[in-house]
Amino acid sequence: MRRRVESLLPQLVALRHDLHRHPELGFAERRTQGVVLEWLERHGYRPRRCADTGVVADLRDGEPAVLAIRADLDALPMQEETDLPYRSTHDGVAHKCGHDGHTAIGLGVAALLAEERGTLPGNVRLLFQPAEEGVRGGGARVMVAEGALDGVAEVYGLHNWPGFPKGEVRVAAGPVMAQVDSVSLVLRGVGGHGSQPQHCRDPIVAGAQVITAAQTVVSRHLSALESGVVSFGSFHAGRANNVIPGRAELLGSIRSLSPTTRQRIHDGLRQVVEGVAAGMGVHAELRIDSEYPVLRNDVGCAEAVGDAARALGVAVADAGLPLLASEDFAYFAQARPSAYFFLGAGSPVGTTPGCHHPDFDFDDDLLSLGVSMFLTIAELRLAAQR
Ligand code: NI
């Protein structure tokens, strides 16, 4: 297998760089979808569109799928700040999470599976999923709703991860990524002249108090053995240096690994917001919206990932898991037994830019590992079902 993967690598690197040069946001992956469709057709698939800009393809049409392999397609609303020869040509959009690499891996798997279409003892489905990133995301949920998993027994997915040592596989049974909820807080006070705070109800000072007090939600409302995060990523108010504005808006996120912890964080944050608002005479509107659920790996599927890594002679561990980041692969994992694993992409000295960092770029060295992992998982699962 190694030789087959190696011989395909130059094409996969070229594909990856082409996708990197033309990044597209969630549910706008039109060109990317075209590249995927064209490649799959060239390798004898009859791919179909799903979730608008996604693609589903079966190795052998009309058969139930022993497993599905998922790759995500979308880029981030970030500016490319590298001077790579294949840097993004789309202003304000860039592949800063490595989904270009994930897509290239999925296409590599598709090409190599196609060489064994007639001899493999079962069907494999390929899922190219749009819109993994952000509030507009949830492409996995749409794909599930549109029947992308009909006839599928198990689902596997991966993510490159610069926080783990390069070339290692990380996987665990149970939760591997967190539930994420978005927080929106609007504080309405009374605006006025900056020289006369006594006539105002200052929403900026109230917002600052909320942020400070919110730091106690995890540290004082949760047991030290529970995991959770409350982070604010946006605080907007006012436009002038000498005007106290009437309104402030804060946006944040909550991460948790269990429903009880999640409820405790919600209750704690509500208490903080209500207390600060009452104490400072401002009106608070707090909204907490559920985004992605906890991503929970099936025990048997996680074992299959470990077995595949060992078969390839690749180091595999569960250290560092779960991560408190989130992934909409969780919707696939809610619908079918699944496993999501990580390909370490970090340098030993820990200086590799992480996902979503402006200097991040997918490491092409991982293409061969990603393709080999998926192919080996497919071989193991197809052999096990006979
Ligand atoms: Ni990602």
Side-chain angles (χ1 to χ4, degrees), residues 72 97-99 102 132-133 159-161 326-327 340 355-356:
D72 42 9
C97 203
H99 299 184
H102 303 166
E132 191 285 317
E133 298 284 359
H159 208 292
N160 78 97
W161 204 256
S326 307
E327 234 301 335
Y340 190 78
C355 294
H356 298 207

Side-chain angles (χ1 to χ4, degrees), residues 3-68:
R3 199 172 316 128
R4 292 163 63 214
V5 175
E6 294 303 321
S7 69
L8 192 64
L9 264 185
Q11 285 185 72
L12 297 186
V13 171
L15 260 174
R16 210 282 288 179
H17 293 183
D18 175 70
L19 295 169
H20 192 94
R21 205 177 279 124
H22 305 283
E24 295 169 304
L25 294 176
F27 292 124
E29 304 96 331
R30 304 262 167 230
R31 183 186 179 280
T32 308
Q33 184 186 48
V35 169
V36 170
L37 288 170
E38 195 271 330
W39 176 275
L40 291 174
E41 280 162 7
R42 185 143 48 91
H43 288 88
Y45 290 84
R46 289 194 292 174
R48 47 201 188 273
R49 291 179 172 79
C50 183
D52 193 18
T53 51
V55 176
V56 175
D58 282 284
L59 180 65
R60 290 210 296 256
D61 288 308
E63 290 182 29
V66 176
L67 72 157

Side-chain angles (χ1 to χ4, degrees), residues 185-190 201-203 206 246-248 273-274 276-278 280-286:
L185 174 63
V186 177
L187 296 168
R188 285 178 221 283
V190 176
R201 292 276 179 260
D202 188 339
R247 184 178 188 280
V273 167
E274 284 164 17
V276 168
M280 306 203 56
V282 300
H283 178 259
E285 270 172 47
L286 176 64

Side-chain angles (χ1 to χ4, degrees), residues 160-168 342-347 352-353 360-363 366:
N160 78 97
W161 204 256
F164 295 144
K166 182 163 164 174
E168 280 189 22
F342 298 88
L343 301 182
S347 79
T352 317
F360 172 88
D361 184 34
F362 179 85
D363 185 338
L366 299 184

